[in-house]
Amino acid sequence: MFDPTVYDNLKVGFENCLYDMDNLDERIQITGRKDRLELAVMSREFTLQFCLRDRPEVTGEVLLSSSLEELAAEILETPGAHPGCRLELRFGMVVNEPELKCPAILTILQKSWPELRICQNIRYIFDEQPVTYNVTAHVYFDRSVNEDQMGDIAELCEHMANVMNQLLQLHNC
């Protein structure tokens, strides 16, 4: 009989919560889903991307990943090991003035996750007019997450939707 791993259980938890927010609550729209197994290093990565209902200007994304070491420690029940996964949240939007918008994006995210590492990447197409900048903000959970945090998934998803509302307001001003 298949015994689901920490990764499998957390993935199902995020899927259930976000698809309920899409199908039942109609607050968000799922816009992308990836479930990858990287055979070269035997790692797994799950990504679920969404936007607020009928508001594609700002995207949110949950990225859950697990390495071979974490999976092996769990399956082999390695003494002293604490199996878990890595979690990253991403927020994306297109801006015209990154020197003004990026500090504001950082402030919104730091208010929501003050202890976590936050990084922003900016992409643009050279020689495209008018110049627009694709900003992706990453919120890294630098500790391992496991089933002990299963009860926090719904609150985290709600919080992401609230942050996306704030980013949407920033985008519209």
Side-chain angles (χ1 to χ4, degrees):
M1 182 174 177
F2 174 71
D3 186 20
T5 63
V6 170
Y7 172 88
D8 294 310
N9 289 332
L10 290 173
K11 181 180 95 166
V12 168
F14 276 109
E15 285 175 317
N16 288 343
C17 184
L18 290 170
Y19 277 106
D20 283 352
M21 289 174 72
D22 182 357
N23 297 319
L24 300 179
D25 302 338
E26 297 183 351
R27 292 185 53 218
I28 67 169
Q29 289 174 300
I30 303 295
T31 57
R33 182 181 190 282
K34 296 177 186 167
D35 197 351
R36 295 186 175 159
L37 171 62
E38 177 58 56
L39 293 174
V41 293
M42 296 302 291
S43 65
R44 296 178 72 183
E45 183 176 279
F46 171 72
T47 306
L48 202 54
Q49 185 181 56
F50 56 97
C51 64
L52 298 173
R53 180 65 60 167
D54 299 321
R55 299 308 304 255
E57 302 93 324
V58 175
T59 61
E61 193 170 8
V62 172
L63 187 140
L64 188 66
S65 60
S66 182
S67 68
L68 174 62
E69 293 82 10
E70 292 161 327
L71 182 61
E74 180 177 2
I75 292 171
L76 298 174
E77 298 178 5
T78 305
H82 303 286
C85 301
R86 286 173 306 287
L87 178 63
E88 177 187 339
L89 309 178
R90 293 180 186 159
F91 299 91
M93 60 193 288
V94 175
V95 300
N96 293 326
E97 301 171 314
E99 59 281 345
L100 297 175
K101 300 288 181 158
C102 287
I105 292 168
L106 183 61
T107 299
I108 290 169
L109 296 177
Q110 285 177 329
K111 284 181 185 174
S112 298
W113 294 284
E115 285 95 37
L116 299 183
R117 185 168 51 99
I118 298 168
C119 172
Q120 293 182 70
N121 295 328
I122 301 172
R123 284 187 6 231
Y124 69 97
I125 297 174
F126 177 73
D127 219 18
E128 180 181 73
Q129 296 299 326
V131 177
T132 58
Y133 301 89
N134 293 301
V135 176
T136 304
H138 306 259
V139 179
Y140 297 99
F141 288 70
D142 287 328
R143 62 177 175 78
S144 186
V145 294
N146 58 39
E147 284 129 335
D148 293 342
Q149 286 79 44
M150 195 69 117
D152 299 334
I153 290 175
E155 184 179 337
L156 179 62
C157 292
E158 285 292 329
H159 194 59
M160 284 185 73
N162 292 334
V163 167
M164 290 170 67
N165 270 316
Q166 294 174 49
L167 293 173
L168 187 59
Q169 290 174 5
L170 174 67
H171 181 270
N172 291 334
C173 67

